[in-house]
Amino acid sequence: MLGLMVLGTVLFFYYSSTLPAYVNLIGVAVLIFLAIYAVLRPKSIFSMRSVDDRKLEITPDELIWGTLRMPIGEVEELDIYIFAFDTFKHHTTSLMGRKATATEYGDKNTIAFMYRGVKYELIFYLGTFKHYDVLAKIIQRWSEKGIEFTARSAFEDSYIREQVKKFG
């Protein structure tokens, strides 16, 4: 991919003097679009995000990040956002107004909190519906224990479960 992009760029600039101005403008716009797309795409080798080797574990009693164990009762300003689990399929409306099926990635979930005066903001991955279900149960347990937190989701829980029944 990188080799093709470099080759395309070199060839474009080599032949750009023989091309009309509007073709050069379109070519530059396409090259800029491809570069931005490559950086923003979640699973791109050009992505600006990097994977942290420390494993994040979320339990009803504590948050564990690498070797750091944080009792949930000592965590402040806890905010969790669940976007989706990997390969979550659901109905959506396309630009033409037709129903379409969208598939989401599981790497847009976030958790932010403060522990002992240090602010943490982490992006975490949910691989399957089972992972999502376990996290939903943990959040329910936090609520039952009286833990102060905010939880948001891109999709309602009932909608997620309905779509899982439809698409598996």
Side-chain angles (χ1 to χ4, degrees), residues 93-150:
T93 305
S94 69
L95 295 174
M96 306 292 270
R98 296 181 187 159
K99 284 194 173 190
T101 302
T103 304
E104 305 296 346
Y105 295 109
D107 63 348
K108 296 179 185 176
N109 308 293
T110 62
I111 187 168
F113 55 90
M114 186 173 294
Y115 179 68
R116 295 185 178 170
V118 178
K119 183 84 173 157
Y120 296 89
E121 294 178 19
L122 307 171
I123 299 170
F124 64 93
Y125 176 78
L126 288 174
T128 65
F129 173 72
K130 186 174 182 176
H131 295 150
Y132 164 81
D133 189 46
V134 167
L135 182 57
K137 289 175 183 171
I138 289 171
I139 291 171
Q140 180 63 36
R141 293 265 314 268
W142 289 347
S143 180
E144 291 167 358
K145 287 180 171 183
I147 303 297
E148 289 187 34
F149 68 95
T150 58

Side-chain angles (χ1 to χ4, degrees), residues 25-42:
L25 287 175
I26 292 171
V28 168
V30 167
L31 289 174
I32 290 171
F33 171 78
L34 287 174
I36 291 171
Y37 176 74
V39 169
L40 296 178
R41 191 169 152 234

Side-chain angles (χ1 to χ4, degrees), residues 36-103:
I36 291 171
Y37 176 74
V39 169
L40 296 178
R41 191 169 152 234
K43 297 190 178 189
S44 169
I45 61 170
F46 304 108
S47 180
M48 294 173 13
R49 297 186 290 173
S50 63
V51 176
D52 190 330
D53 291 334
R54 292 171 285 192
K55 185 177 177 182
L56 173 67
E57 294 180 50
I58 301 172
T59 72
D61 302 316
E62 61 187 352
L63 299 174
I64 305 166
W65 186 40
T67 59
L68 182 60
R69 300 178 83 87
M70 300 163 276
I72 200 69
E74 295 178 25
V75 171
E76 301 170 335
E77 300 175 26
L78 178 59
D79 179 40
I80 189 161
Y81 173 69
I82 303 172
F83 180 74
F85 57 89
D86 206 33
T87 68
F88 170 57
K89 292 183 171 118
H90 61 96
H91 285 297
T92 188
T93 305
S94 69
L95 295 174
M96 306 292 270
R98 296 181 187 159
K99 284 194 173 190
T101 302
T103 304

